[in-house]
Amino acid sequence: MTPLFGRRREATTPPEPGVAGRRVGESATPAGVEAESRTAPGAQPARWVVVVPVKPSAHGKSRLDVPGVARKDLARAIALDTLEAATACDVVAQVVVVTDDATLAREAARIPALRFVPEGDAGGLDAAVAVGVAAIDPDGRMPRAALLGDLPSLRPDDLGEALRAAASLPRAVVPDAEGTGSTLVTAGAGVVWTSSFGEGSFARHVTLGCTALEIPDASTLRRDVDTAAQLEAARALGLGPRTAALLAGGLSRRHPHA
């Protein structure tokens, strides 16, 4: 049987419109992934399931207005750069994308270790994350994390640092750059999943029992993007290739003789 997980790079067939997930109907955690979550003392650290909720780009990033760049294209580029960085993290076994954006799914076909789950009737980030968690690991046999899909500067090592720090904790949270929101929320194996994203989410996650991880202010994991000013701050850290190319193209269209 071909394993579903790991870092295989063969081409996969993207979902058709409606984003039919890859084996979405499975209700049990695949044995190969569950095995990766168990590590003996001194062995490599347990690997994580990371769930990334992504709104359809036509409806996402309503406050992100960059002249010369279509908002939907920018939102999709940011999400794809985030997903690629997450799959490249050495302690991530599987990235689960919860979305109804069929174009995103098609454009993500070259990114390895992705699994798509349709958002369906889920309302809001927390419900979307719960759909992804239930689809891949309903019994909580693995450590799980929810990662925002708007981290265009994300580096795999920064995500790995946070997940390693979270591995010994029942629940953990990483604050955004402003210190009020959350970019990453985790739950260890056997811990019931819960999250409370949205404005002011950091304080709510701490109330839910999440330990605040001491992640440096300059970490790319803390730099989520909702506005043009935040995008400029992310640019200073180094943008992912799709976001950088899109912004460069927008600049050249505004200043064709520059």
Side-chain angles (χ1 to χ4, degrees), residues 142-153:
M142 290 191 68
R144 292 137 292 147
L147 175 72
L148 293 187
D150 57 0
L151 297 158
S153 296

Side-chain angles (χ1 to χ4, degrees), residues 83-99:
L83 294 173
E84 187 163 63
T87 63
C89 178
D90 62 353
V91 293
V92 173
Q94 177 75 77
V95 175
V96 181
V97 190
V98 183
T99 188

Side-chain angles (χ1 to χ4, degrees), residues 235-248:
R235 192 202 294 262
L237 297 176
L239 295 170
R242 297 168 185 82
T243 307
L246 189 62
L247 293 179

